[in-house]
Amino acid sequence: YEGFSCLGLADVESCGGGGTCVQDIYIDPCGNGFRLQDEECDDGNLEDGDGCSSTCTNEVGWLCEGGSGSSPDICNVVCGDGVKMTDGCCDELECSQECYGE
């Protein structure tokens, strides 16, 4: 993204002069904790099952938000949506029927 500093985020060759990203040549790596380009989410890791997948897409039953070009997404289980979960379950009454395997 024009004007976004990518020093430390990608190799120098994918940046414009002085470490300023140029959108048409910068490729944002999934899992670096910065949501850019076509990523649905980026929570700073490449783990599946935590809300944001290893391909930086939102996982079913989770809501990831707050991510930007300078901060990672925070992902939480969506309570009351009927999706059965094994990880990240909440203790609220409406979620207890959605959790199994804990």
Side-chain angles (χ1 to χ4, degrees), residues 15-26:
C15 295
T20 300
C21 287
V22 178
Q23 187 171 355
D24 61 344
I25 61 173
Y26 175 68

Side-chain angles (χ1 to χ4, degrees), residues 49 62 76-77 79 85-90 99 102:
W62 294 80
N76 293 294
V77 170
C79 294
M85 305 292 291
T86 57
D87 295 316
C89 293
C90 358
C99 302
E102 285 196 320

Side-chain angles (χ1 to χ4, degrees), residues 14-71:
S14 66
C15 295
T20 300
C21 287
V22 178
Q23 187 171 355
D24 61 344
I25 61 173
Y26 175 68
I27 299 172
D28 182 51
C30 177
N32 67 352
F34 301 97
R35 185 173 8 130
L36 297 169
Q37 295 172 330
D38 296 327
E39 295 175 321
E40 291 180 11
C41 58
D42 194 325
D43 60 355
N45 66 62
L46 295 174
E47 295 178 25
D48 290 322
D50 64 354
C52 185
S53 74
S54 61
T55 59
C56 287
T57 57
N58 290 310
E59 296 178 312
V60 174
W62 294 80
L63 175 65
C64 298
E65 56 189 354
S68 69
S70 60
S71 63

